Amino acid sequence: MTGPETTTGPGRRPAAPPGPWALLSGAVKGVAKKYSQDRSVALPVAQGRAVVLAVADGHGSAAHFRSDLGAYWAVEEFTACAAAFAREAARVGADAAGWPALREEARRLPQRVAHLWHERAVYHDTNSPAHGVRAQPAADRTGRVDRPDVPDLAAYGSTLIGAVLTEHTLFCWQLGDGDIVLVDGGGIPHTPLSSGPDMGDETDSLCEPEPWRKMRAHWQPFTGGAPPCVLLSTDGLSKSFADHQGFLDFATGLGERAAGQGVAAVQSQLPDWLARAAKYSGDDTTLVGAIAVPEQTQ
């Protein structure tokens, strides 16, 4: 399954939406890494009345040597599912009577994305086993196999953060590390899916059994208008700061620069900012965002 061409790697820029949002996208590979295991998307939907954002961080270590593929599939499958959801969210708009059905659909989305990701990983591993040809499980005298062979998908492990944003609602989901930050009209950052400081390098992953059960979700209706700045980033960005407050200050500053200098100016500087961050974290560093465009400039 594929959605519109949206997946971004280092140096790719998002398509310009025709609606009330301007989109940001930037990615740099980690210092001394051969290639990046991050993938991302920033996609306008429903003639720009909704936005789909996502970042995925392949685990990248020797045990996860195909995680660039895992991250790519995570973003593709999320985008395909979330774009349809976003079109419905845009259609419902401010009609609160339609929100319960949206919330129910939002609860089902993680499992659907995980199943699609799992199917692609199993198909790939079947045709090109990550750990060589697997031994066939033993059959009894009747030829029945009690336990089907279960592939080890750790080689493809990836995190996933995704969001669907309209002028009236925000839905977001997160599996594993990374950050989503909302900067409100007063310049105050909010992290609705934060689970606190990371403990070591272990993180939840799509390669685990039933990963949707660990996916955190958040739904938020906007009674006073959508936040002017919504940012999603892989953990390479937040880990480049000495403390979490420094990362939040960066998010606030980015929103202020977008409002004062324009989104195009921020987009042009973003690769340099991310490259500087990657020097400190050493990790692949990716950020996507949606910035509300003032009505008079639309």
Side-chain angles (χ1 to χ4, degrees):
M1 177 183 296
T2 57
E5 202 292 302
T6 55
T7 302
T8 58
R12 298 286 298 277
R13 291 189 178 188
W21 311 100
L23 304 186
L24 290 171
S25 179
V28 298
K29 72 178 180 66
V31 176
K33 288 196 172 185
K34 188 175 181 180
Y35 55 88
S36 174
Q37 278 89 22
D38 284 359
R39 293 295 183 271
S40 64
V41 65
L43 175 71
V45 177
Q47 289 76 50
R49 292 180 294 120
V51 168
V52 172
L53 302 171
V55 295
D57 181 355
H59 301 334
S61 66
H64 309 288
F65 61 95
R66 290 177 172 175
S67 61
D68 58 321
L69 286 174
Y72 180 81
W73 297 333
V75 166
E76 268 211 341
E77 299 302 350
F78 175 83
T79 300
C81 295
F85 178 82
R87 284 190 287 272
E88 178 61 12
R91 187 194 67 78
V92 170
D95 182 6
W99 290 351
L102 283 177
R103 294 178 64 181
E104 183 58 33
E105 184 64 19
R107 277 192 284 269
R108 290 194 290 264
L109 187 141
Q111 187 169 359
R112 189 160 64 253
V113 172
H115 277 153
L116 292 168
W117 184 94
H118 187 269
E119 286 179 356
R120 291 184 73 165
V122 168
Y123 181 80
H124 190 276
D125 193 72
T126 299
N127 287 283
S128 179
H131 303 292
V133 178
R134 293 188 298 276
Q136 294 298 314
D140 61 19
R141 287 182 294 180
T142 66
R144 189 182 68 178
V145 177
D146 289 334
R147 185 183 64 82
D149 193 18
V150 178
D152 177 8
L153 301 181
Y156 303 90
S158 175
T159 67
L160 174 64
I161 307 175
V164 169
L165 176 66
T166 75
E167 293 182 89
H168 305 287
T169 53
L170 169 72
F171 293 85
C172 47
W173 303 262
Q174 179 167 358
L175 178 71
D177 54 27
D179 301 274
I180 176 168
V181 183
L182 319 179
V183 182
D184 67 21
I188 305 300
H190 304 271
T191 54
L193 292 177
S194 174
S195 59
D198 294 334
M199 302 297 288
D201 293 329
E202 293 295 323
T203 188
D204 294 329
S205 173
L206 281 165
C207 70
E208 299 173 14
E210 300 186 345
W212 61 89
R213 298 187 186 281
K214 295 182 177 180
M215 192 171 288
R216 308 188 295 278
H218 174 77
W219 171 73
Q220 179 176 343
F222 301 133
T223 55
C229 180
V230 177
L231 304 174
L232 278 63
S233 56
T234 55
D235 69 332
L237 181 58
S238 57
K239 285 182 176 176
S240 70
F241 294 88
D243 55 39
H244 192 60
Q245 187 58 50
F247 168 66
L248 297 179
D249 291 344
F250 169 83
T252 300
L254 188 151
E256 291 173 346
R257 284 174 182 256
Q261 302 175 10
V263 177
V266 171
Q267 177 65 61
S268 68
Q269 298 173 76
L270 189 58
D272 290 338
W273 296 343
L274 297 182
R276 194 179 313 162
K279 287 182 180 177
Y280 288 97
S281 70
D283 200 357
D284 303 328
T285 303
T286 298
L287 179 144
V288 296
I291 308 295
V293 177
E295 188 173 352
Q296 62 273 20
T297 65
Q298 293 177 29

